[in-house]
Amino acid sequence: NAGVTQTPKFQVLKTGQSMTLQCAQDMNHEYMSWYRQDPGMGLRLIHYSVGAGITDQGEVPNGYNVSRSTTEDFPLRLLSAAPSQTSVYFCASSPSPDLLTGELFFGEGSRLTVL
Amino acid sequence: DQQVKQNSPSLSVQEGRISILNCDYTNSMFDYFLWYKKYPAEGPTFLISISSIKDKNEDGRFTVFLNKSAKHLSLHIVPSQPGDSAVYFCAASEIMYTNAGKSTFGDGTTLTVKP
């Protein structure tokens, strides 16, 4: 039972480079989110999606793009990496509103360093 | 303006004693509250939740108390075990369709349970 799978687990970028963090879930969850966690801080919402084809901005969306072409996948794109984007990124999913408990299922995280 | 606050960055307790982790919130629209547990190099995992229509929810050694008038919730762990040592995040959300899966997190409290 894979749950939420994130790749890569580690990545080092140079300032200005672009990359995509992949996220896939096999639980048929409608809701998916991307969070970032900086040292000593909680998780801050970057973007989220309530279903295929629907995305919206969270608390800290600048510098990131998302798309949701399928229920399973929710990639996060860094357009032009900056040192301020050095962080640990978590993808999460949540069941449909009919079964909604609000609980998020998280991936193991992707640690990104921007030099 | 941080809407969910965990004012104690760390807590140390002796094995077998009670651990009490606190969380305050400011947004009166929050109506669902969750606690997550996070071990190093792993994603957060759901622990326990409470709806705003309740003031207490219990699951084994874990109990969450909600005081809506004070906008305060607490997580009690009794008895505490060394395996409970982790970072605990308080999260809050609004149970609406478009906000499902969109949780706001506190900065976390690192719990250390000493044998």
Side-chain angles (χ1 to χ4, degrees), chain B residues 21 30 35 43-45 56 59 61 64 67 71 74 80 90 93 97 102 106 108-109:
Chain B
L21 295 90
F30 289 146
W35 286 93
T45 55
K56 176 182 173 182
D59 184 1
R61 297 186 296 113
V64 57
N67 183 334
K71 293 190 176 66
S74 61
S80 301
C90 172
S93 66
Y97 180 87
K102 181 184 173 185
T109 296

Side-chain angles (χ1 to χ4, degrees), chain B residues 7 14 19 24 33 44 56 68 72 79 88-89 108 111:
Chain B
N7 292 318
Q14 208 66 34
S19 296
D24 298 293
F33 305 90
K56 176 182 173 182
K68 282 187 63 179
H72 176 83
Y88 288 79
F89 290 102
L111 173 65

